[in-house]
């Protein structure tokens, strides 16, 4: 995890290609240090996460 984007989105650290990914806070079940645990398998998360930050209106 890198930081919060708005009030309901987490900005993840860049991947090996330099791309940030964004996940909804509602997916998070716990945070331990810099590790974020979510409520879905990694494969599913990678298909559903966003590569663009949330807009200023939260959409």
């Amino acid at each position: 995890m890198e930081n919060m984007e708005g009030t309901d989105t987490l900005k993840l650290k860049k991947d090996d290609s330099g791309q940030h990914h964004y996940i909804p806070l509602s997916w998070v079940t716990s945070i331990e240090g810099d590790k974020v645990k979510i409520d879905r398998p990694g494969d599913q998360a990678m298909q559903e996460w966003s590569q663009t930050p949330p807009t200023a209106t939260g959409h």
Side-chain angles (χ1 to χ4, degrees):
M1 178 181 78
E2 185 166 300
N3 60 21
M4 291 288 297
E5 285 284 317
T7 60
D8 61 355
T9 305
L10 288 179
K11 179 180 179 183
L12 304 178
K13 290 182 179 179
K14 289 182 181 179
D15 64 16
D16 292 340
S17 69
Q19 174 69 51
H20 281 289
H21 301 282
Y22 302 85
I23 63 169
L25 192 56
S26 62
W27 290 6
V28 177
T29 58
S30 68
I31 298 174
E32 298 174 13
D34 66 348
K35 303 287 183 190
V36 176
K37 296 189 180 205
I38 59 174
D39 65 356
R40 61 202 65 217
D43 291 351
Q44 181 182 353
M46 288 189 292
Q47 291 176 3
E48 296 176 1
W49 63 23
S50 174
Q51 292 185 340
T52 57
T55 62
T57 60
H59 298 284

